[in-house]
Amino acid sequence: MCGIAAYIGKKEGLPIVFANLKKLEYRGYDSAGVAFFNFPDDELGINVIKAVGKLDSLGKAIDGHRSLPATSAIGHTRWATHGVPNESNAHPHIDCHKEISLVHNGIVENYKELKVQLTKLGHRFRSQTDTEIIAHLIEEYGFDQALKKIVGAYALAVINKDEPNKIYFARLGSPLVVGIGRGEYYLASDATALAGLVKRVVYLKDGQKGTISLNGLKMGRVRPRIERLDMDLENAQKEGYPHFMLKEIFEGGEVVRAALRGRLFPKKNLIKLGGLESVEAKLARINRLEIAACGTSYYAGIIGKMLFEDFANLPTEIRLASEYRYYSSPLHKNTSALFISQSGETADTLAALSKANSRKYLTLGIVNAVGSSIARETVAGVYNHAGPEIGVASTKAFLSQLAVLNLISLHWPNSRKNKRLLEELALVPSKIESVLKKSKSIKALARKYARYNNFLYIGRGYNYPAAMEGALKLKEISYIHAEGYAAGEMKHGPIALIDKNFPTVAIVMPGRVYEKVISNLEEIKARGGPILAIAAQGDRNIKTVADDVIYVPKTMESLTPLLSIVPLQLFAYYIGVARGHDVDKPRNLAKSVTVE
Ligand code: M6R
């Protein structure tokens, strides 16, 4: 997720913008930059400074300029989407004559066709980004007309040489907030950056645009709706949620949407994955896949194996990354190895990747942290674009990983994709959001079950790994013993544990194994075990066996874990809170496990 910061007022703008970018650091980024005017020496035009990597690198680069009285400045932290993280792709971007400079958060979906048109008109481009197009569009058509030509999403802050005392802004689909101080104005991607600086803000709505200048905030005919901002930094980052974990669970729909955006085209029965373009020809020769990952990413990987075998007809092995490096498996030809990691820095996964690279396998990554070690050391891959995950328990990353695994397996050469499945995949984000609306009743159920000290989570097929992930969530943040099991295995051992004090959480989705799971539940019920079921809307039968039911919308079988895991994340969260634990920082755990 990119971050935008801008300032206009009587103070020095550059240090303010830099400090505000720092506050947006939690959104994640791979490069950053600022643009500003050097008053009074403004014939020098717009100054642009950029740096790759940590904000401190940008800090060092702008150090020499801090004493200049730049009273207006725009800044940006970039999370790469189009084009690798380097200085030319970092924002701010400029037009042909360096008279317009802008920062952008969002995506210009029609950037390729716009680029062709602008090139014909004589514009020359310096980066591979979609954003640079906007600078040239404004140069060619002016601010208002340029916005009309963009298909996609944007939050924009723009400065231009002719009006150095003004910053233009606009929002469509990507967040942008205006901060109103005393004779000074700010722009920021979220209120986090403004906490402690201003008491009044305008949360811009889609389609709103305007300017900030020393003469005030102007939004055409729209009367800005000014709201009070009473937040400290941490609360601002949590956006009103009591914990990052809950905020991130509630981002579930949005992260899946972000993973599918610009990649999934159901009407054309098409999936486009820019990150795999360079290896498309090699993929066609692959006849065997290995997936390796840890923890939550590993559970996503098990679902990935099922997807690859089901849809791409590709024999796939799934390995715990911590075992992979020590396992002396035979060397295979035409093998690809896929590594899944939210942080991109997990030591075990990195070590497994290095083994696969040394075997000359075609290594691929599904990584959330852009520019991380795993992203760099794999030959190709697909980013999650889920934004930073701060809660130690992985939640939104899991959903995003499943979305990307669906995309890759359905995109694989000769895969069995069909329009209906792609249409159904496109509906998943709103279905996740409808599950999230049930949070109150899930909270009540969590309170009811919080007293138990052992749980069994069961599921079959695609929902067996979801059951293991649900159990992991409960273990991590509530410190309750929970085991994830394939429902069919109950009778081979674990059923011995069942009594009235040992509840079972069962995922019972329509599909090939529905009846089988019901039979497994009958066996549990006969032994007095309490049952909480996650079932599909309209399933009345489930009420005859389960004590409690959480319904999720119906979907196609391979997509069911994307919905069934959401109530399990909420259930674990609310039990952790009910037990008084620090759910964002569970004991003994670290967000990024960089040791073996
Ligand atoms: O960053 P990674 O996805 O590589 O991390 C892997 C595991 O350490 C991680 O999923 C861990 O299991 C989480 N705490 C799960 O909530």
Side-chain angles (χ1 to χ4, degrees):
M1 278 193 308
C2 303
I4 287 178
Y7 172 83
I8 191 154
K10 296 206 169 99
K11 298 180 192 143
E12 280 176 33
L14 209 47
I16 293 174
V17 163
F18 183 73
N20 287 356
L21 288 178
K22 274 272 201 209
K23 293 185 210 161
L24 295 172
E25 253 187 322
Y26 78 98
R27 296 165 70 92
Y29 60 94
D30 46 57
S31 49
V34 287
F36 55 98
F37 291 104
N38 270 344
F39 290 123
D41 201 6
D42 64 355
E43 71 268 12
L44 283 176
I46 297 172
N47 293 273
V48 178
I49 303 174
K50 303 179 186 187
V52 176
K54 297 273 169 222
L55 266 175
D56 289 342
S57 321
L58 177 67
K60 282 187 195 129
I62 63 179
D63 254 351
H65 297 263
R66 284 194 193 209
S67 57
L68 292 170
T71 50
S72 69
I74 58 175
H76 189 266
T77 50
R78 173 172 188 249
W79 182 289
T81 54
H82 296 73
V84 294
N86 62 20
E87 275 192 30
S88 356
N89 290 335
H91 302 213
H93 287 285
I94 50 175
D95 65 330
C96 293
H97 301 102
K98 216 181 166 187
E99 291 182 348
I100 297 162
S101 180
L102 60 84
V103 290
H104 167 227
N105 178 10
I107 181 164
V108 183
E109 285 167 11
N110 57 338
Y111 88 101
K112 281 194 180 146
E113 60 189 81
L114 290 174
K115 196 168 183 173
V116 172
Q117 290 166 18
L118 288 163
T119 308
K120 280 188 193 148
L121 291 169
H123 292 260
R124 292 290 167 261
F125 298 86
R126 300 173 177 90
S127 77
Q128 301 158 301
T129 63
D130 54 337
T131 296
E132 192 190 347
I133 307 293
I134 308 176
H136 294 271
L137 275 180
I138 297 175
E139 180 184 15
E140 188 65 37
Y141 303 106
F143 187 65
D144 290 347
Q145 290 306 316
L147 295 184
K148 288 186 188 153
K149 296 194 182 287
I150 300 171
V151 177
Y154 51 76
L156 285 169
V158 187
I159 54 174
N160 78 87
K161 194 167 177 262
D162 292 341
E163 300 169 288
N165 289 314
K166 235 180 219 175
I167 300 177
Y168 283 76
F169 62 81
R171 176 209 154 129
L172 187 75
S174 299
L176 194 62
V177 186
V178 183
I180 306 173
R182 290 202 178 146
E184 58 184 11
Y185 296 86
Y186 299 78
L187 294 171
S189 294
D190 66 49
T192 313
L194 305 178
L197 286 174
V198 295
K199 289 273 177 227
R200 294 183 305 152
V201 291
V202 177
Y203 294 95
L204 294 172
K205 296 200 180 74
D206 277 348
Q208 292 188 330
K209 58 185 179 176
T211 56
I212 47 173
S213 71
L214 293 181
N215 297 326
L217 162 66
K218 304 237 161 76
M219 291 171 56
R221 289 195 191 152
V222 176
R223 225 170 118 216
R225 190 163 163 244
I226 299 174
E227 296 181 42
R228 266 193 81 75
L229 179 74
D230 276 319
M231 280 183 184
D232 60 30
L233 184 59
E234 188 174 311
N235 281 335
Q237 287 178 339
K238 288 183 192 153
E239 291 172 10
Y241 289 95
H243 298 99
F244 283 110
M245 181 176 174
L246 188 62
K247 171 178 173 268
E248 287 158 6
I249 294 173
F250 269 83
E251 285 169 8
E254 198 41 51
V255 298
V256 173
R257 207 168 273 127
L260 305 180
R261 190 174 291 135
R263 295 169 171 170
L264 176 70
F265 303 92
K267 282 189 193 140
K268 298 182 188 161
N269 194 21
L270 176 75
I271 290 169
K272 278 206 242 170
L273 296 172
L276 296 185
E277 266 169 21
S278 61
V279 293
E280 293 291 350
K282 290 185 181 159
L283 294 186
R285 290 195 290 275
I286 296 298
N287 56 24
R288 186 177 163 275
L289 180 67
E290 292 178 356
I291 303 179
C294 300
T296 292
S297 302
Y298 170 73
Y299 295 138
I302 307 179
I303 295 174
K305 168 189 161 67
M306 297 176 184
L307 291 167
F308 279 104
E309 296 197 327
D310 243 4
F311 294 101
N313 198 26
L314 183 66
T316 304
E317 278 183 36
I318 167 80
R319 301 267 183 78
L320 283 163
S322 52
E323 296 290 321
Y324 188 99
R325 66 199 290 197
Y326 299 113
Y327 186 75
S328 50
S329 59
L331 187 70
H332 291 275
K333 279 193 180 153
N334 301 330
T335 293
S336 174
L338 170 65
F339 298 86
I340 307 172
S341 176
Q342 187 286 128
S343 62
E345 301 295 347
T346 300
D348 287 322
T349 313
L350 255 172
L353 166 59
S354 130
K355 177 171 171 180
N357 274 334
S358 71
R359 294 185 143 206
K360 303 272 182 278
Y361 288 171
L362 173 64
T363 55
L364 306 175
I366 298 179
V367 176
N368 192 31
V370 175
S372 56
S373 306
I374 295 173
R376 280 186 277 114
E377 287 174 31
T378 39
V379 175
V382 179
Y383 278 123
N384 290 104
H385 298 313
E389 194 177 59
I390 293 170
V392 165
S394 187
T395 52
K396 64 174 179 174
F398 181 69
L399 286 171
S400 174
Q401 288 163 348
L402 295 188
V404 173
L405 283 162
N406 271 281
L407 290 175
I408 303 182
S409 59
L410 292 168
H411 172 73
W412 204 267
N414 304 319
S415 73
R416 200 165 55 79
K417 65 173 171 297
N418 63 69
K419 245 174 123 184
R420 199 173 148 236
L421 180 57
L422 300 200
E423 277 162 6
E424 194 55 39
L425 180 55
L427 293 177
V428 165
S430 54
K431 291 190 177 180
I432 291 175
E433 277 149 7
S434 77
V435 180
L436 291 167
K437 287 196 182 125
K438 298 180 182 220
S439 64
K440 264 197 184 155
S441 56
I442 297 171
K443 184 176 184 178
L445 283 170
R447 288 213 175 116
K448 174 177 169 186
Y449 283 84
R451 67 186 176 85
Y452 293 103
N453 290 321
N454 295 287
F455 278 81
L456 205 59
Y457 280 64
I458 58 169
R460 287 182 89 146
Y462 280 105
N463 282 295
Y464 156 48
M468 292 198 282
E469 170 60 9
L472 177 65
K473 287 290 88 77
L474 191 70
K475 276 184 253 207
E476 279 182 296
I477 57 169
S478 68
Y479 317 146
I480 292 173
H481 167 235
E483 280 190 60
Y485 239 88
E489 281 292 296
M490 289 296 294
K491 55 188 172 299
H492 299 293
I495 200 159
L497 294 166
I498 296 298
D499 65 15
K500 65 180 178 18
N501 292 316
F502 204 125
T504 298
V505 178
I507 308 176
V508 204
M509 292 292 157
R512 288 169 277 191
V513 284
Y514 175 84
E515 299 296 342
K516 306 282 174 201
V517 185
I518 296 287
S519 313
N520 301 141
L521 290 185
E522 294 286 5
E523 290 157 12
I524 292 169
K525 190 180 162 78
R527 283 151 186 90
I531 297 172
L532 164 62
I534 313 298
Q537 213 78 52
D539 180 352
R540 295 211 191 114
N541 179 36
I542 189 69
K543 288 200 166 159
T544 60
V545 269
D547 299 279
D548 295 290
V549 183
I550 302 170
Y551 285 107
V552 301
K554 277 191 185 152
T555 187
M556 290 169 86
E557 193 175 351
S558 56
L559 302 175
T560 51
L562 280 150
L563 301 181
S564 64
I565 195 60
V566 179
L568 300 185
Q569 292 175 344
L570 283 169
F571 184 69
Y573 167 80
Y574 287 122
I575 291 190
V577 172
R579 289 195 160 211
H581 299 312
D582 181 353
V583 292
D584 279 339
K585 292 194 191 89
R587 69 183 182 204
N588 309 338
L589 293 175
K591 182 67 188 159
S592 188
V593 187
T594 52
V595 289
E596 195 190 341

